[in-house]
C-alpha cells in the first residue's frame, strides 16, 4: 500500500546527493581544501575518539573515578583542562574514558538495528509478494512509535539498564534502515546483472549471495556510519533520562545527567560531555555523506 | 493507490477510488493500533516481574501477599490470559484506556490534561523550525557556493545537537548567565521561548538539509529555466516555482518530525519541569505503569497514522506529479 510511495526517514535527508561543489579528485588547492575541510576535521575527530576508546590511559591524565573533594567544581584551567565535577573527578579524563562505553553502546545498537533491518529488508525485497506485505505491516507498526517512543515502550517492558538501552536504540533505528535496504534490494533484483544471472540458470540463493547482498553492502556501510552518530545520541538521551548507564560510570549521557543538578554552578560538567556527543554525531554525518558521494562516483 | 485520489467527487469511479483509499488508511491504522496494544499486552507478560508489584509502588514497596492479591483482583490480573487479553481489547475498543497504576486515575483523563501543553509546544516548535529552515535555504541558494557550504555546516551541527544538551546550554546561557528567561517553563510566552527553541533548532537543521537540496535542484530544473526564459525575475522563479518544491520534503518528513518532536518533548519537558505528555511518559516508564504507557503509545500511534494520511494528501496537492504514483 504505502510501500509504493518513497517515504523519507531521518537517514535519507543527510544522504541526499550533493555533487555540485565537489572538487575534482586529486586537486588540493586552497579552494578544494576549504571544501574538504569539514571532512578532514570529522575524520580527525572520529579518529581521536576511537583512539580514546582503544587506549584511554594514554590520553587521560587522571583516573576517571578518582575522588578528590578538595578540587571539587574546579573550573576549566591549567590543572584540570575541562574542570572537575562535584567529587573533584577530572572531566577531560572522564570524557576520554567515556569514549569506550559510549561508542560501544552506539556501535552495538547500530549493529542490532542494521542486522534486524538487513533481515527484514532482505525478506521483504527478495521473499516475494506475501512476505513483502507481512514485513511491510511490521515496519508500519514500528514506524508508528517514532523516535524515542519505541525505545521508551521497550524499556517500560524490559526495565532500564545498559543492555536494554542497546536493544531499545537498535529497535528504534531498524525500521528506517529496513525500508532503505528493501528498496536497495528491489533495485538490484531488477538490474541487468541479476537478469543475466537468472537467464544463466543460477539459483535464487546463489543470486542473493553473489550478486545482491555484496552490492547492497556499500550503502549499508554508509548507513552504519551515519547510524553510529545517531545511536550515540539516542543512547546518551536515554542515559540522560536515567534509563541507561548508572551514574558513577563515565558514560557521556550519564555525565550530562549528573551535571544537570549543578547547571547553575558548574556549566563545564554538562557542556563538555555534550560537546563530545555533538562532535561524534556531526562527524559521522559528514563522513557518511562523503562515503555516499565516493560510492556514487 | 494507482488512481489520482484528489480529483474526488467528479465521477463515480474517482469517488470510488477515494473511498477505497480512505478505507485502506483506516484499516491500516486500526491494524497498527491493534498490533501496538497486543505487543505491549504480551510483552509485559513475557518478562519476569509482577504487574501487581508495579501497582503497589514497585519491588521496593514490600507489599503484603494480601495487598498484591487484592491489586490483582482490582485490575483483573487474576483472570485467565485469554480472558484478560480480549477484555483488554474490548475496553480499548470502547475507548476505556484503563486506570493508571501509579496515579490511580483513569488514563484517558490524565491524557486529556497532558495533550494540550505538549501540543502547544510541538506546534510552535514545528512552525519555528519550518520558518528557520526555509529562510536559511532561500538565503543560501542566493549566496553561492560559500553560503551553501556555510549553511550546510550549520545544518549538520544543529541536526547533530541532542535536545538534552541544547536545553542545558540554553538554560546556562539565557537563564543562569544572562537571566533573561526563566529556566522553568510555564505557559507564559517567556517560559515557552527556551523549550520551543530547543525543539525547533535540531528539527530546522534536518528540514533545512533536505529543503536546500530540493531548492537547489528546482533552481537548476527545466521549468525554472523556462520561467527565466519567459523573463521572470529570480525572485519570481523562487516564489512561483521553486518554493513549492522546497515544501515537499518538509511534508514528506512530517511523520518523522512528529517523532522528533515527541522524543524531544520527553527530554524538554523533563528539563524545563513542564507538565506534558513526554514527561508523564518518562515517569510512567520509570514506574512501569503499563496502562499509562499503553495509553501514550496508542495515542501517538493514532496521531502518527493520521499525520501520515494528511501528509499523503498534502504531497499530492503540492506536487501534481505525485498524483499518478
Amino acid at each position: 500500500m504505502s510501500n509504493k510511495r518513497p517515504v523519507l526517514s531521518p537517514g535519507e535527508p543527510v544522504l541526499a546527493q550533493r555533487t555540485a561543489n565537489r572538487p575534482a579528485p586529486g586537486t588540493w588547492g586552497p579552494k578544494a581544501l576549504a571544501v574538504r575541510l569539514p571532512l578532514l576535521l570529522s575524520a580527525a575527530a572520529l579518529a581521536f575518539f576511537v583512539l580514546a576508546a582503544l587506549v584511554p590511559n594514554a590520553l587521560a591524565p587522571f583516573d576517571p573515578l578518582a575522588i578528590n573533594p578538595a578540587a571539587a567544581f574546579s573550573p576549566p584551567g591549567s590543572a584540570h583542562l575541562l574542570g572537575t565535577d562535584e567529587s573533584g573527578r577530572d572531566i577531560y579524563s572522564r570524557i576520554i574514558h567515556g569514549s569506550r562505553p559510549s561508542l560501544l553502546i552506539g556501535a552495538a545498537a547500530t549493529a542490532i538495528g542494521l542486522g534486524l533491518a538487513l533481515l527484514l529488508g532482505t525478506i521483504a525485497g527478495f521473499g516475494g509478494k506475501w512476505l513483502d506485505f507481512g514485513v511491510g505491516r511490521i515496519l508500519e507498526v514500528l514506524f508508528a512509535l517514532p523516535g524515542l517512543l519505541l525505545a521508551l515502550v521497550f524499556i517500560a517492558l524490559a526495565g532500564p539498564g545498559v543492555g536494554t538501552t542497546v536493544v531499545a536504540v537498535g529497535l528504534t533505528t531498524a525500521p528506517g534502515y529496513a525500508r532503505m535496504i528493501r528498496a536497495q534490494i528491489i533495485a538490484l533484483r531488477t538490474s541487468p546483472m541479476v537478469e543475466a544471472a537468472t537467464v544463466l540458470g543460477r539459483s535464487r540463493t546463489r543470486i542473493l549471495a553473489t550478486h545482491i547482498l555484496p552490492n547492497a553492502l556499500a550503502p549499508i556501510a554508509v548507513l552504519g556510519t551515519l547510524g553510529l552518530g545517531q545511536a550515540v545520541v539516542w543512547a546518551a538521551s536515554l542515559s540522560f533520562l536515567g534509563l541507561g548507564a548508572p551514574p558513577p560510570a563515565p558514560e557521556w549521557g550519564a555525565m550530562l545527567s549528573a551535571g544537570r543538578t549543578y547547571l547553575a554552578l558548574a556549566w563545564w560538567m554538562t557542556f563538555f560531555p555534550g560537546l563530545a556527543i555533538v562532535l561524534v554525531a556531526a562527524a559521522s554525518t559528514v563522513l557518511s555523506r562523503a562515503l555516499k558521494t565516493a560510492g556514487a562516483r | 493507490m494507482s488512481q489520482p485520489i484528489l480529483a474526488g467527487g467528479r465521477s463515480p469511479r474517482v469517488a470510488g477510488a477515494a473511498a477505497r483509499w480512505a478505507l485502506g488508511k483506516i484499516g491500516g491504522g486500526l491494524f497498527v493500533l491493534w498490533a501496538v496494544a497486543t505487543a505491549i499486552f504480551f510483552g509485559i507478560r513475557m518478562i519476569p516481574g509482577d504487574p501487581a508489584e508495579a501497582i503497589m509502588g514497585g519491588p521496593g514497596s514490600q507489599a503484603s501477599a494480601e495487598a498484591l492479591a487484592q491489586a490483582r483482583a482490582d485490575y483483573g490480573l487474576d483472570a485467565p490470559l485469554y480472558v484478560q487479553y480480549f477484555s483488554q481489547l474490548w475496553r480499548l475498543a470502547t475507548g476505556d484506556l484503563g486506570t493508571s497504576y501509579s496515579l490511580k486515575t483513569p488514563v484517558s483523563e490524565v491524557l486529556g490534561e497532558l495533550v494540550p501543553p505538549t501540543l502547544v509546544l510541538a506546534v510552535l516548535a514545528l512552525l519555528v523550525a519550518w520558518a528557520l529552515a526555509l529562510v536559511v535555504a532561500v538565503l543560501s541558494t542566493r549566496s553561492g557556493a560559500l553560503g551553501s557550504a556555510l549553511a550546510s555546516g550549520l545544518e549538520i551541527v544543529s541536526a547533530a545537537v541532542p535536545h538534552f544538551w541544547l536545553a542545558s546550554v540554553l538554560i546556562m546561557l539565557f537563564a543562569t548567565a544572562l537571566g533573561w528567561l526563566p529556566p522553568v517553563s510555564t505557559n507564559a510566552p517567556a517560559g515557552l521561548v527556551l523549550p520551543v527553541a530547543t525543539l525547533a533548532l535540531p528539527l530546522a537543521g534536518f528540514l533545512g538539509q533536505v529543503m536546500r537540496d530540493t531548492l537547489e535542484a528546482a533552481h537548476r530544473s527545466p521549468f525554472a529555466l523556462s520561467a527565466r526564459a519567459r523573463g521572470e525575475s529570480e525572485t519570481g522563479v523562487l516564489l512561483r516555482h521553486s518554493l513549492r518544491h522546497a515544501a515537499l520534503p518538509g511534508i514528506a518528513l512530517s511523520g518523522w518530525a512528529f517523532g522528533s518532536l515527541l522524543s524531544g518533548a520527553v527530554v524538554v519537558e523533563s528539563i524545563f519541569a513542564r507538565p506534558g505528555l513526554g514527561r508523564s511518559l518518562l515517569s510512567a516508564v520509570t514506574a512501569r505503569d503499563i496502562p499509562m504507557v499503553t495509553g501514550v503509545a496508542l495515542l501517538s500511534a493514532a496521531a502518527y497514522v493520521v499525520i501520515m494520511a494528511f501528509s499523503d494528501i498534502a504531497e499530492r496537492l503540492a506536487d501534481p506529479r505525485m498524483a499518478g504514483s
Side-chain angles (χ1 to χ4, degrees), chain A residues 9-14 46 102-103 105-107 109-110 147-148 169-170 172-174 177 222-238 277-285 288, chain B residues 156 158-164 202 206 209 256 260 263:
Chain A
S9 67
E12 281 161 290
V14 195
L46 274 189
S102 304
L103 291 184
I105 291 173
T110 311
L148 275 182
V169 174
T172 302
T173 52
Y177 297 152
V222 176
L223 281 181
T225 316
L226 178 69
L228 179 71
Q230 199 56 51
V232 167
V233 171
W234 285 129
S237 301
L238 292 173
I277 297 171
V278 174
L279 278 177
V280 169
S284 81
T285 307
S288 73
Chain B
I156 288 178
S158 60
V161 168
H163 289 119
F164 53 89
F206 263 119
Q209 286 176 32
W256 178 80
S260 160
S263 321

Side-chain angles (χ1 to χ4, degrees), chain A residues 1-2 4-10 13-14 16-18 20-21 31 137-138 140-141 143-149 152-153 155-159 179 230 233-234 236-237 240-241 243 253 256 260 263-268 270-275 277-278 281-282 285-286 289, chain B residues 1 24-25 28 31-32 35-36 39-40 43-44 47 145 148 152 156-157 160-162 164-165 168-169 171-172 176 206 209-210 212-213 216 220 249 252-253 255-256 258-259 262-263 266-267 270-271 281-282 285-286 288 290 293 296-297 300-301 304 308 311-312 315-316 322:
Chain A
M1 203 172 60
S2 60
K4 281 177 195 158
R5 188 167 61 103
V7 178
L8 287 163
S9 67
V14 195
Q17 292 277 10
R18 188 177 303 135
N21 296 328
K31 201 176 168 193
R137 296 290 78 71
I138 295 175
E140 221 156 75
V141 174
F143 271 119
L145 299 175
L148 275 182
L149 198 65
L152 285 173
V153 169
I155 292 172
L157 297 177
R179 184 119 79 183
Q230 199 56 51
V233 171
W234 285 129
S237 301
F240 179 79
L241 294 172
L243 301 170
L256 270 156
R260 195 177 148 189
L263 214 52
L265 191 66
W267 57 269
W268 51 89
T270 305
F271 185 80
F272 292 116
L275 198 60
I277 297 171
V278 174
T285 307
V286 173
R289 187 179 274 191
Chain B
M1 296 212 302
K25 285 281 166 194
F31 169 79
V32 165
V36 168
I40 296 179
I44 191 65
I47 279 133
S148 183
S152 160
I156 288 178
V157 171
V161 168
F164 53 89
W165 188 68
S168 308
V169 170
I171 289 178
M172 287 188 281
T176 313
F206 263 119
Q209 286 176 32
V210 218
R212 209 157 37 78
D213 280 345
E216 279 171 10
R220 288 192 300 268
L253 277 170
W256 178 80
F258 168 71
L262 198 65
S263 321
V266 176
V267 173
S270 312
I271 295 185
L281 174 64
L282 180 64
V285 167
T286 317
R288 302 185 83 179
I290 298 304
V293 172
V296 177
S300 46
Y304 182 85
M308 288 316 279
S311 82
D312 218 38
E315 248 176 340
R316 282 148 205 269
M322 297 279 294

Side-chain angles (χ1 to χ4, degrees), chain A residues 25 54 72 103 106 117 144 161 164 177 191 206 212 226 234 254:
Chain A
L54 291 175
L103 291 184
T164 323
Y177 297 152
S191 67
R206 185 159 166 200
I212 293 187
L226 178 69
W234 285 129

Side-chain angles (χ1 to χ4, degrees), chain B residues 78-89:
Chain B
D78 48 358
L81 198 59
Y82 71 94
V83 174
Q84 284 188 44
Y85 174 65
F86 285 108
S87 66
Q88 158 91 337
L89 279 191

Side-chain angles (χ1 to χ4, degrees), chain B residues 205-227:
Chain B
F206 263 119
L207 287 177
Q209 286 176 32
V210 218
M211 281 188 185
R212 209 157 37 78
D213 280 345
T214 331
L215 203 60
E216 279 171 10
H219 248 60
R220 288 192 300 268
S221 67
F223 63 76
L225 186 70
S226 69

